[in-house]
Amino acid sequence: MDGHSMTLVTVVCEALARTPLLELLRQLGIHGYTLFPVEGAGSKGDRPADIEEFGNIQVEIIVPEETARLLTERLAAEFLPRFAAIVYSTEVRVLRPEKFRPHQS
Amino acid sequence: MEFWESVRLNLASPPILFFALGLLSVLLRTDLRLPEPIYVGLSTYLLLAIGFKGGVALAEAGLREVWLPGLAAMALGTVIPLWCYAVLRLGLRLPAVDAAAIGAHYGSVSAVTFVTAVQYLRDLGVPFEGYASAFLAVMESPAIVVGVLLGRWATRHGGLTGREWRRLAHEALLGRSVFLLVGSLLAGVLCGRRGLEMTEGFFVTPFQGLLTLFLFEMGMVAARRLGDLRKVGPALAVFGVVMPVAHAVLGLWVGHWTGLSPGGAFLMGVLAASASYIAAPAAMRLALPEANPTLYLTASLAVTFPFNVTLGLPLYAQMVRWFLGGF
């Protein structure tokens, strides 16, 4: 496929971490993301998602590589010590790259 | 009535039997699962219904009758976290931040426990103050604030910044349950008896059935966390049973002293005995993220909640009979 190279950062975390995570994105000028409820199991066992507040969410963020690096650094320093979460990133190709560039903050 | 007779009456009531069925369905690993929106829908319904009915009763009773026990309920919510903290620190040797977070849960309240208690009184035919759901509304927040302050103070993070205060106040005062309860209380006050007659087919008649369905779901929710009991250890499980009983004794005396009937004093006891498992965990995750959620959730949801709705309610009713001679 044609397109422009971007980095997809995926955060799977407890639903209660939603506000702090979105706040962090806002601070970095990242304006786009996709969020959906998920369930599964992790290194510390099952994560039942029977009550909305105890559930888990997956947040996908597509940004240029340098923004992705900044984001994962901040996540590692401020987010992962506090919340149950995993973070991974992968290269993707997108159409219309201007939609994924962060606003200047 | 004999104590065992009232235990039997509670255990053989539809909500509790279905609660047990929910527990069993998880323990036996059936493939039964209710979709998550059912939980949200039912809890919204229950809060709206008890808030609305409480508001109608509040309009009829007038504030003069309600303010003193209401204030006492808030005071109870404020002080319970303090001695819970002391017991957990000194007795169980838990880290300060965990002790503070657990204290917040036990000072705050569980709406479902309260609703089940109201239904239990109806079964027994015991009269009570219909506006007691106003106490439920004011008892949720104070303990959350006290718990967070205790935790912050104990971990030497110092006080809260203005921004953190605003966030905590928003979390504690505008959580989903407080908002729904206070809003529907106000709606009930404004509508009065006429509003209740208009909505009777929705808020009153199906209430027992929907509560039963909700407790069925709660049985599953609680059972999924039973496995975590191994992680929290027996001492916290004992805490989860002993503290509610002590709080119930305190609550029913406070209710009695502030002029409530034996039925109302029983409900105040139940509120003091109950532990939050929605509002408090959500607030703790944001304001005291260092606290271990397995400890407070397991204690409140897998120990205290099942204990209160099964054996706790008849026990507290028996205590009212012993101490206050009522029912």
Side-chain angles (χ1 to χ4, degrees), chain B residues 113-162:
Chain B
T113 310
F114 175 80
V115 175
T116 313
V118 167
Q119 213 57 41
Y120 179 59
L121 284 184
R122 284 189 210 280
D123 272 0
L124 294 174
V126 174
F128 59 93
E129 285 79 356
Y131 52 75
S133 36
F135 309 148
L136 171 68
V138 297
M139 265 183 99
E140 183 167 297
S141 318
I144 294 178
V145 176
V146 172
V148 169
L149 290 178
L150 262 180
R152 287 305 189 100
W153 167 74
T155 51
R156 312 237 181 279
H157 274 306
L160 300 171
T161 64

mmCIF file of all heavy atoms in Angstrom, chain B residues 113-162:
data_model
loop_
_atom_site.group_PDB
_atom_site.id
_atom_site.type_symbol
_atom_site.label_atom_id
_atom_site.label_comp_id
_atom_site.label_asym_id
_atom_site.label_seq_id
_atom_site.Cartn_x
_atom_site.Cartn_y
_atom_site.Cartn_z
ATOM 1 N N THR B 113 -26.173 -2.631 49.221
ATOM 2 C CA THR B 113 -26.411 -3.163 50.559
ATOM 3 C C THR B 113 -27.587 -2.428 51.194
ATOM 4 O O THR B 113 -28.469 -3.050 51.796
ATOM 5 C CB THR B 113 -25.145 -2.990 51.424
ATOM 6 O OG1 THR B 113 -24.029 -3.489 50.701
ATOM 7 C CG2 THR B 113 -25.272 -3.720 52.740
ATOM 8 N N PHE B 114 -27.603 -1.108 51.012
ATOM 9 C CA PHE B 114 -28.685 -0.304 51.568
ATOM 10 C C PHE B 114 -30.040 -0.713 50.983
ATOM 11 O O PHE B 114 -31.013 -0.928 51.707
ATOM 12 C CB PHE B 114 -28.410 1.185 51.291
ATOM 13 C CG PHE B 114 -29.517 2.098 51.708
ATOM 14 C CD1 PHE B 114 -29.660 2.478 53.030
ATOM 15 C CD2 PHE B 114 -30.424 2.578 50.770
ATOM 16 C CE1 PHE B 114 -30.692 3.315 53.415
ATOM 17 C CE2 PHE B 114 -31.457 3.412 51.154
ATOM 18 C CZ PHE B 114 -31.597 3.785 52.482
ATOM 19 N N VAL B 115 -30.077 -0.850 49.655
ATOM 20 C CA VAL B 115 -31.340 -1.201 48.997
ATOM 21 C C VAL B 115 -31.813 -2.576 49.459
ATOM 22 O O VAL B 115 -33.010 -2.793 49.706
ATOM 23 C CB VAL B 115 -31.149 -1.192 47.463
ATOM 24 C CG1 VAL B 115 -32.400 -1.672 46.782
ATOM 25 C CG2 VAL B 115 -30.798 0.196 46.989
ATOM 26 N N THR B 116 -30.884 -3.512 49.594
ATOM 27 C CA THR B 116 -31.250 -4.848 50.048
ATOM 28 C C THR B 116 -31.810 -4.775 51.470
ATOM 29 O O THR B 116 -32.771 -5.473 51.811
ATOM 30 C CB THR B 116 -30.018 -5.775 50.000
ATOM 31 O OG1 THR B 116 -29.368 -5.600 48.745
ATOM 32 C CG2 THR B 116 -30.416 -7.229 50.137
ATOM 33 N N ALA B 117 -31.218 -3.896 52.291
ATOM 34 C CA ALA B 117 -31.692 -3.731 53.670
ATOM 35 C C ALA B 117 -33.106 -3.154 53.687
ATOM 36 O O ALA B 117 -33.947 -3.590 54.480
ATOM 37 C CB ALA B 117 -30.740 -2.828 54.444
ATOM 38 N N VAL B 118 -33.362 -2.176 52.807
ATOM 39 C CA VAL B 118 -34.707 -1.592 52.738
ATOM 40 C C VAL B 118 -35.729 -2.666 52.378
ATOM 41 O O VAL B 118 -36.800 -2.789 52.978
ATOM 42 C CB VAL B 118 -34.732 -0.446 51.693
ATOM 43 C CG1 VAL B 118 -36.159 -0.052 51.370
ATOM 44 C CG2 VAL B 118 -33.950 0.757 52.209
ATOM 45 N N GLN B 119 -35.344 -3.495 51.391
ATOM 46 C CA GLN B 119 -36.248 -4.552 50.956
ATOM 47 C C GLN B 119 -36.485 -5.568 52.073
ATOM 48 O O GLN B 119 -37.584 -6.092 52.247
ATOM 49 C CB GLN B 119 -35.631 -5.230 49.724
ATOM 50 C CG GLN B 119 -36.639 -5.731 48.723
ATOM 51 C CD GLN B 119 -37.555 -4.628 48.219
ATOM 52 O OE1 GLN B 119 -37.114 -3.509 47.960
ATOM 53 N NE2 GLN B 119 -38.838 -4.925 48.090
ATOM 54 N N TYR B 120 -35.436 -5.813 52.858
ATOM 55 C CA TYR B 120 -35.530 -6.735 53.990
ATOM 56 C C TYR B 120 -36.530 -6.201 55.026
ATOM 57 O O TYR B 120 -37.378 -6.953 55.539
ATOM 58 C CB TYR B 120 -34.134 -6.911 54.591
ATOM 59 C CG TYR B 120 -34.040 -7.815 55.792
ATOM 60 C CD1 TYR B 120 -34.444 -9.152 55.715
ATOM 61 C CD2 TYR B 120 -33.532 -7.347 56.996
ATOM 62 C CE1 TYR B 120 -34.344 -9.983 56.815
ATOM 63 C CE2 TYR B 120 -33.413 -8.178 58.100
ATOM 64 C CZ TYR B 120 -33.828 -9.496 58.015
ATOM 65 O OH TYR B 120 -33.712 -10.306 59.104
ATOM 66 N N LEU B 121 -36.458 -4.887 55.305
ATOM 67 C CA LEU B 121 -37.410 -4.283 56.247
ATOM 68 C C LEU B 121 -38.839 -4.418 55.730
ATOM 69 O O LEU B 121 -39.765 -4.677 56.493
ATOM 70 C CB LEU B 121 -37.083 -2.798 56.463
ATOM 71 C CG LEU B 121 -35.888 -2.473 57.355
ATOM 72 C CD1 LEU B 121 -35.778 -0.966 57.546
ATOM 73 C CD2 LEU B 121 -35.988 -3.156 58.704
ATOM 74 N N ARG B 122 -38.993 -4.225 54.424
ATOM 75 C CA ARG B 122 -40.340 -4.368 53.846
ATOM 76 C C ARG B 122 -40.855 -5.788 54.035
ATOM 77 O O ARG B 122 -42.023 -5.999 54.371
ATOM 78 C CB ARG B 122 -40.322 -4.030 52.357
ATOM 79 C CG ARG B 122 -40.254 -2.559 52.077
ATOM 80 C CD ARG B 122 -40.460 -2.305 50.576
ATOM 81 N NE ARG B 122 -39.744 -1.120 50.150
ATOM 82 C CZ ARG B 122 -40.198 0.122 50.337
ATOM 83 N NH1 ARG B 122 -41.340 0.309 50.902
ATOM 84 N NH2 ARG B 122 -39.488 1.153 49.960
ATOM 85 N N ASP B 123 -39.961 -6.767 53.811
ATOM 86 C CA ASP B 123 -40.329 -8.170 54.009
ATOM 87 C C ASP B 123 -40.799 -8.409 55.435
ATOM 88 O O ASP B 123 -41.752 -9.142 55.677
ATOM 89 C CB ASP B 123 -39.105 -9.073 53.785
ATOM 90 C CG ASP B 123 -38.956 -9.463 52.339
ATOM 91 O OD1 ASP B 123 -39.803 -9.022 51.540
ATOM 92 O OD2 ASP B 123 -38.009 -10.195 52.023
ATOM 93 N N LEU B 124 -40.063 -7.808 56.394
ATOM 94 C CA LEU B 124 -40.389 -8.007 57.800
ATOM 95 C C LEU B 124 -41.613 -7.192 58.217
ATOM 96 O O LEU B 124 -42.146 -7.388 59.296
ATOM 97 C CB LEU B 124 -39.205 -7.593 58.686
ATOM 98 C CG LEU B 124 -37.916 -8.406 58.589
ATOM 99 C CD1 LEU B 124 -36.825 -7.749 59.415
ATOM 100 C CD2 LEU B 124 -38.140 -9.820 59.089
ATOM 101 N N GLY B 125 -42.017 -6.256 57.356
ATOM 102 C CA GLY B 125 -43.142 -5.389 57.700
ATOM 103 C C GLY B 125 -42.789 -4.355 58.748
ATOM 104 O O GLY B 125 -43.646 -3.910 59.513
ATOM 105 N N VAL B 126 -41.499 -3.970 58.811
ATOM 106 C CA VAL B 126 -41.057 -2.991 59.806
ATOM 107 C C VAL B 126 -41.115 -1.593 59.199
ATOM 108 O O VAL B 126 -40.590 -1.376 58.108
ATOM 109 C CB VAL B 126 -39.608 -3.297 60.235
ATOM 110 C CG1 VAL B 126 -39.087 -2.197 61.157
ATOM 111 C CG2 VAL B 126 -39.534 -4.648 60.906
ATOM 112 N N PRO B 127 -41.755 -0.635 59.880
ATOM 113 C CA PRO B 127 -41.775 0.728 59.335
ATOM 114 C C PRO B 127 -40.408 1.403 59.466
ATOM 115 O O PRO B 127 -39.639 1.076 60.371
ATOM 116 C CB PRO B 127 -42.811 1.444 60.216
ATOM 117 C CG PRO B 127 -42.834 0.672 61.494
ATOM 118 C CD PRO B 127 -42.472 -0.749 61.152
ATOM 119 N N PHE B 128 -40.094 2.310 58.551
ATOM 120 C CA PHE B 128 -38.817 3.039 58.623
ATOM 121 C C PHE B 128 -38.996 4.389 57.937
ATOM 122 O O PHE B 128 -39.978 4.596 57.214
ATOM 123 C CB PHE B 128 -37.691 2.242 57.956
ATOM 124 C CG PHE B 128 -37.943 1.938 56.506
ATOM 125 C CD1 PHE B 128 -37.477 2.786 55.511
ATOM 126 C CD2 PHE B 128 -38.673 0.819 56.127
ATOM 127 C CE1 PHE B 128 -37.735 2.515 54.172
ATOM 128 C CE2 PHE B 128 -38.937 0.548 54.797
ATOM 129 C CZ PHE B 128 -38.462 1.394 53.819
ATOM 130 N N GLU B 129 -38.053 5.278 58.171
ATOM 131 C CA GLU B 129 -38.114 6.598 57.554
ATOM 132 C C GLU B 129 -37.794 6.467 56.064
ATOM 133 O O GLU B 129 -36.692 6.077 55.698
ATOM 134 C CB GLU B 129 -37.116 7.549 58.217
ATOM 135 C CG GLU B 129 -37.536 8.039 59.585
ATOM 136 C CD GLU B 129 -37.277 7.005 60.687
ATOM 137 O OE1 GLU B 129 -36.850 5.885 60.363
ATOM 138 O OE2 GLU B 129 -37.516 7.325 61.865
ATOM 139 N N GLY B 130 -38.746 6.813 55.220
ATOM 140 C CA GLY B 130 -38.553 6.656 53.787
ATOM 141 C C GLY B 130 -37.447 7.528 53.226
ATOM 142 O O GLY B 130 -36.891 7.238 52.162
ATOM 143 N N TYR B 131 -37.109 8.590 53.969
ATOM 144 C CA TYR B 131 -36.088 9.515 53.463
ATOM 145 C C TYR B 131 -34.674 9.041 53.772
ATOM 146 O O TYR B 131 -33.708 9.785 53.556
ATOM 147 C CB TYR B 131 -36.309 10.927 54.009
ATOM 148 C CG TYR B 131 -36.450 11.014 55.509
ATOM 149 C CD1 TYR B 131 -35.345 10.891 56.335
ATOM 150 C CD2 TYR B 131 -37.698 11.205 56.102
ATOM 151 C CE1 TYR B 131 -35.468 10.961 57.716
ATOM 152 C CE2 TYR B 131 -37.835 11.270 57.488
ATOM 153 C CZ TYR B 131 -36.707 11.149 58.292
ATOM 154 O OH TYR B 131 -36.839 11.204 59.648
ATOM 155 N N ALA B 132 -34.529 7.817 54.300
ATOM 156 C CA ALA B 132 -33.196 7.343 54.687
ATOM 157 C C ALA B 132 -32.225 7.338 53.502
ATOM 158 O O ALA B 132 -31.006 7.401 53.700
ATOM 159 C CB ALA B 132 -33.289 5.953 55.299
ATOM 160 N N SER B 133 -32.738 7.296 52.267
ATOM 161 C CA SER B 133 -31.795 7.303 51.139
ATOM 162 C C SER B 133 -31.031 8.628 51.055
ATOM 163 O O SER B 133 -29.981 8.692 50.421
ATOM 164 C CB SER B 133 -32.476 6.973 49.818
ATOM 165 O OG SER B 133 -33.758 7.507 49.757
ATOM 166 N N ALA B 134 -31.560 9.671 51.732
ATOM 167 C CA ALA B 134 -30.783 10.924 51.811
ATOM 168 C C ALA B 134 -29.492 10.693 52.591
ATOM 169 O O ALA B 134 -28.453 11.277 52.274
ATOM 170 C CB ALA B 134 -31.612 12.022 52.470
ATOM 171 N N PHE B 135 -29.537 9.809 53.590
ATOM 172 C CA PHE B 135 -28.320 9.507 54.359
ATOM 173 C C PHE B 135 -27.307 8.776 53.476
ATOM 174 O O PHE B 135 -26.108 9.000 53.564
ATOM 175 C CB PHE B 135 -28.628 8.662 55.605
ATOM 176 C CG PHE B 135 -29.729 9.215 56.463
ATOM 177 C CD1 PHE B 135 -30.571 8.374 57.176
ATOM 178 C CD2 PHE B 135 -29.926 10.586 56.551
ATOM 179 C CE1 PHE B 135 -31.588 8.894 57.953
ATOM 180 C CE2 PHE B 135 -30.951 11.109 57.327
ATOM 181 C CZ PHE B 135 -31.784 10.256 58.033
ATOM 182 N N LEU B 136 -27.847 7.882 52.647
ATOM 183 C CA LEU B 136 -26.979 7.184 51.694
ATOM 184 C C LEU B 136 -26.247 8.203 50.821
ATOM 185 O O LEU B 136 -25.036 8.103 50.584
ATOM 186 C CB LEU B 136 -27.831 6.239 50.845
ATOM 187 C CG LEU B 136 -27.174 5.573 49.642
ATOM 188 C CD1 LEU B 136 -26.114 4.576 50.099
ATOM 189 C CD2 LEU B 136 -28.207 4.863 48.786
ATOM 190 N N ALA B 137 -27.000 9.213 50.353
ATOM 191 C CA ALA B 137 -26.403 10.200 49.448
ATOM 192 C C ALA B 137 -25.289 10.994 50.119
ATOM 193 O O ALA B 137 -24.277 11.293 49.489
ATOM 194 C CB ALA B 137 -27.493 11.146 48.927
ATOM 195 N N VAL B 138 -25.464 11.341 51.403
ATOM 196 C CA VAL B 138 -24.446 12.196 52.028
ATOM 197 C C VAL B 138 -23.293 11.396 52.628
ATOM 198 O O VAL B 138 -22.287 11.967 53.031
ATOM 199 C CB VAL B 138 -25.039 13.119 53.125
ATOM 200 C CG1 VAL B 138 -26.037 14.085 52.509
ATOM 201 C CG2 VAL B 138 -25.660 12.322 54.255
ATOM 202 N N MET B 139 -23.429 10.077 52.706
ATOM 203 C CA MET B 139 -22.377 9.296 53.367
ATOM 204 C C MET B 139 -21.313 8.784 52.409
ATOM 205 O O MET B 139 -20.306 8.240 52.836
ATOM 206 C CB MET B 139 -22.985 8.100 54.098
ATOM 207 C CG MET B 139 -23.247 8.377 55.563
ATOM 208 S SD MET B 139 -23.884 6.936 56.392
ATOM 209 C CE MET B 139 -22.409 6.283 57.170
ATOM 210 N N GLU B 140 -21.536 8.951 51.103
ATOM 211 C CA GLU B 140 -20.568 8.368 50.178
ATOM 212 C C GLU B 140 -19.268 9.164 50.121
ATOM 213 O O GLU B 140 -18.176 8.591 50.124
ATOM 214 C CB GLU B 140 -21.173 8.268 48.778
ATOM 215 C CG GLU B 140 -20.221 7.605 47.803
ATOM 216 C CD GLU B 140 -20.891 7.217 46.507
ATOM 217 O OE1 GLU B 140 -21.806 6.376 46.564
ATOM 218 O OE2 GLU B 140 -20.504 7.745 45.460
ATOM 219 N N SER B 141 -19.381 10.495 50.086
ATOM 220 C CA SER B 141 -18.203 11.320 49.790
ATOM 221 C C SER B 141 -17.224 11.582 50.938
ATOM 222 O O SER B 141 -16.017 11.538 50.698
ATOM 223 C CB SER B 141 -18.649 12.665 49.226
ATOM 224 O OG SER B 141 -19.689 12.491 48.314
ATOM 225 N N PRO B 142 -17.707 11.890 52.171
ATOM 226 C CA PRO B 142 -16.739 12.363 53.184
ATOM 227 C C PRO B 142 -15.578 11.396 53.393
ATOM 228 O O PRO B 142 -14.414 11.827 53.452
ATOM 229 C CB PRO B 142 -17.595 12.482 54.459
ATOM 230 C CG PRO B 142 -18.987 12.636 53.988
ATOM 231 C CD PRO B 142 -19.075 11.857 52.716
ATOM 232 N N ALA B 143 -15.882 10.092 53.461
ATOM 233 C CA ALA B 143 -14.825 9.119 53.753
ATOM 234 C C ALA B 143 -13.776 9.096 52.645
ATOM 235 O O ALA B 143 -12.594 8.866 52.902
ATOM 236 C CB ALA B 143 -15.430 7.738 53.919
ATOM 237 N N ILE B 144 -14.203 9.322 51.415
ATOM 238 C CA ILE B 144 -13.258 9.300 50.301
ATOM 239 C C ILE B 144 -12.246 10.428 50.464
ATOM 240 O O ILE B 144 -11.034 10.228 50.322
ATOM 241 C CB ILE B 144 -14.019 9.401 48.960
ATOM 242 C CG1 ILE B 144 -14.864 8.137 48.765
ATOM 243 C CG2 ILE B 144 -13.066 9.625 47.810
ATOM 244 C CD1 ILE B 144 -15.700 8.135 47.517
ATOM 245 N N VAL B 145 -12.751 11.603 50.818
ATOM 246 C CA VAL B 145 -11.855 12.746 51.010
ATOM 247 C C VAL B 145 -10.923 12.479 52.191
ATOM 248 O O VAL B 145 -9.702 12.672 52.093
ATOM 249 C CB VAL B 145 -12.686 14.036 51.238
ATOM 250 C CG1 VAL B 145 -11.762 15.201 51.533
ATOM 251 C CG2 VAL B 145 -13.546 14.324 50.016
ATOM 252 N N VAL B 146 -11.481 11.996 53.316
ATOM 253 C CA VAL B 146 -10.655 11.729 54.494
ATOM 254 C C VAL B 146 -9.583 10.678 54.169
ATOM 255 O O VAL B 146 -8.408 10.832 54.527
ATOM 256 C CB VAL B 146 -11.534 11.246 55.677
ATOM 257 C CG1 VAL B 146 -10.668 10.784 56.840
ATOM 258 C CG2 VAL B 146 -12.461 12.359 56.124
ATOM 259 N N GLY B 147 -9.988 9.627 53.466
ATOM 260 C CA GLY B 147 -9.039 8.563 53.129
ATOM 261 C C GLY B 147 -7.883 9.078 52.284
ATOM 262 O O GLY B 147 -6.717 8.750 52.527
ATOM 263 N N VAL B 148 -8.212 9.903 51.281
ATOM 264 C CA VAL B 148 -7.154 10.432 50.413
ATOM 265 C C VAL B 148 -6.218 11.340 51.210
ATOM 266 O O VAL B 148 -4.989 11.258 51.091
ATOM 267 C CB VAL B 148 -7.775 11.199 49.224
ATOM 268 C CG1 VAL B 148 -6.711 11.971 48.477
ATOM 269 C CG2 VAL B 148 -8.480 10.227 48.288
ATOM 270 N N LEU B 149 -6.787 12.189 52.075
ATOM 271 C CA LEU B 149 -5.946 13.088 52.875
ATOM 272 C C LEU B 149 -5.036 12.286 53.801
ATOM 273 O O LEU B 149 -3.843 12.574 53.917
ATOM 274 C CB LEU B 149 -6.820 14.044 53.691
ATOM 275 C CG LEU B 149 -7.547 15.101 52.860
ATOM 276 C CD1 LEU B 149 -8.414 15.973 53.747
ATOM 277 C CD2 LEU B 149 -6.545 15.965 52.093
ATOM 278 N N LEU B 150 -5.618 11.246 54.449
ATOM 279 C CA LEU B 150 -4.816 10.374 55.314
ATOM 280 C C LEU B 150 -3.656 9.752 54.545
ATOM 281 O O LEU B 150 -2.516 9.748 55.002
ATOM 282 C CB LEU B 150 -5.685 9.231 55.843
ATOM 283 C CG LEU B 150 -6.304 9.330 57.221
ATOM 284 C CD1 LEU B 150 -7.113 8.078 57.495
ATOM 285 C CD2 LEU B 150 -5.225 9.501 58.267
ATOM 286 N N GLY B 151 -3.976 9.236 53.376
ATOM 287 C CA GLY B 151 -2.963 8.563 52.572
ATOM 288 C C GLY B 151 -1.867 9.529 52.138
ATOM 289 O O GLY B 151 -0.680 9.210 52.208
ATOM 290 N N ARG B 152 -2.257 10.713 51.729
ATOM 291 C CA ARG B 152 -1.282 11.709 51.300
ATOM 292 C C ARG B 152 -0.405 12.140 52.459
ATOM 293 O O ARG B 152 0.804 12.279 52.347
ATOM 294 C CB ARG B 152 -1.998 12.950 50.745
ATOM 295 C CG ARG B 152 -2.612 12.719 49.413
ATOM 296 C CD ARG B 152 -1.544 12.219 48.457
ATOM 297 N NE ARG B 152 -2.062 12.188 47.117
ATOM 298 C CZ ARG B 152 -1.815 13.137 46.214
ATOM 299 N NH1 ARG B 152 -1.038 14.151 46.498
ATOM 300 N NH2 ARG B 152 -2.330 13.046 45.019
ATOM 301 N N TRP B 153 -1.062 12.363 53.603
ATOM 302 C CA TRP B 153 -0.341 12.821 54.781
ATOM 303 C C TRP B 153 0.634 11.732 55.229
ATOM 304 O O TRP B 153 1.792 12.007 55.538
ATOM 305 C CB TRP B 153 -1.354 13.149 55.871
ATOM 306 C CG TRP B 153 -0.759 13.344 57.214
ATOM 307 C CD1 TRP B 153 -0.033 14.427 57.633
ATOM 308 C CD2 TRP B 153 -0.799 12.432 58.307
ATOM 309 N NE1 TRP B 153 0.359 14.232 58.934
ATOM 310 C CE2 TRP B 153 -0.093 13.033 59.372
ATOM 311 C CE3 TRP B 153 -1.389 11.177 58.496
ATOM 312 C CZ2 TRP B 153 0.052 12.401 60.599
ATOM 313 C CZ3 TRP B 153 -1.245 10.547 59.714
ATOM 314 C CH2 TRP B 153 -0.525 11.165 60.755
ATOM 315 N N ALA B 154 0.172 10.485 55.226
ATOM 316 C CA ALA B 154 0.997 9.396 55.749
ATOM 317 C C ALA B 154 2.188 9.098 54.840
ATOM 318 O O ALA B 154 3.238 8.674 55.297
ATOM 319 C CB ALA B 154 0.149 8.145 55.930
ATOM 320 N N THR B 155 2.021 9.302 53.531
ATOM 321 C CA THR B 155 3.126 9.004 52.630
ATOM 322 C C THR B 155 3.989 10.243 52.399
ATOM 323 O O THR B 155 4.843 10.250 51.524
ATOM 324 C CB THR B 155 2.614 8.482 51.279
ATOM 325 O OG1 THR B 155 1.616 9.388 50.794
ATOM 326 C CG2 THR B 155 2.018 7.101 51.391
ATOM 327 N N ARG B 156 3.734 11.300 53.189
ATOM 328 C CA ARG B 156 4.557 12.514 53.154
ATOM 329 C C ARG B 156 4.588 13.164 51.774
ATOM 330 O O ARG B 156 5.553 13.775 51.391
ATOM 331 C CB ARG B 156 5.993 12.245 53.598
ATOM 332 C CG ARG B 156 6.080 11.447 54.864
ATOM 333 C CD ARG B 156 6.883 12.163 55.953
ATOM 334 N NE ARG B 156 6.969 11.362 57.149
ATOM 335 C CZ ARG B 156 6.000 11.277 58.067
ATOM 336 N NH1 ARG B 156 4.885 11.949 57.915
ATOM 337 N NH2 ARG B 156 6.141 10.523 59.136
ATOM 338 N N HIS B 157 3.510 12.959 51.013
ATOM 339 C CA HIS B 157 3.398 13.718 49.773
ATOM 340 C C HIS B 157 2.997 15.141 50.099
ATOM 341 O O HIS B 157 2.904 15.981 49.233
ATOM 342 C CB HIS B 157 2.290 13.127 48.879
ATOM 343 C CG HIS B 157 2.772 12.018 48.025
ATOM 344 N ND1 HIS B 157 3.844 12.137 47.194
ATOM 345 C CD2 HIS B 157 2.318 10.754 47.855
ATOM 346 C CE1 HIS B 157 4.031 10.996 46.560
ATOM 347 N NE2 HIS B 157 3.126 10.140 46.960
ATOM 348 N N GLY B 158 2.685 15.354 51.390
ATOM 349 C CA GLY B 158 2.178 16.656 51.780
ATOM 350 C C GLY B 158 0.724 16.791 51.384
ATOM 351 O O GLY B 158 0.066 15.805 51.075
ATOM 352 N N GLY B 159 0.240 18.013 51.413
ATOM 353 C CA GLY B 159 -1.171 18.250 51.104
ATOM 354 C C GLY B 159 -1.455 18.137 49.620
ATOM 355 O O GLY B 159 -0.631 17.659 48.851
ATOM 356 N N LEU B 160 -2.622 18.568 49.239
ATOM 357 C CA LEU B 160 -3.014 18.515 47.840
ATOM 358 C C LEU B 160 -2.865 19.900 47.223
ATOM 359 O O LEU B 160 -3.081 20.905 47.888
ATOM 360 C CB LEU B 160 -4.475 18.077 47.733
ATOM 361 C CG LEU B 160 -4.835 16.711 48.312
ATOM 362 C CD1 LEU B 160 -6.340 16.543 48.325
ATOM 363 C CD2 LEU B 160 -4.205 15.611 47.493
ATOM 364 N N THR B 161 -2.502 19.937 45.965
ATOM 365 C CA THR B 161 -2.477 21.220 45.265
ATOM 366 C C THR B 161 -3.911 21.614 44.917
ATOM 367 O O THR B 161 -4.820 20.793 45.006
ATOM 368 C CB THR B 161 -1.677 21.111 43.972
ATOM 369 O OG1 THR B 161 -2.370 20.193 43.117
ATOM 370 C CG2 THR B 161 -0.272 20.599 44.224
ATOM 371 N N GLY B 162 -4.084 22.877 44.538
ATOM 372 C CA GLY B 162 -5.422 23.349 44.197
ATOM 373 C C GLY B 162 -6.062 22.492 43.113
ATOM 374 O O GLY B 162 -7.233 22.131 43.185
#
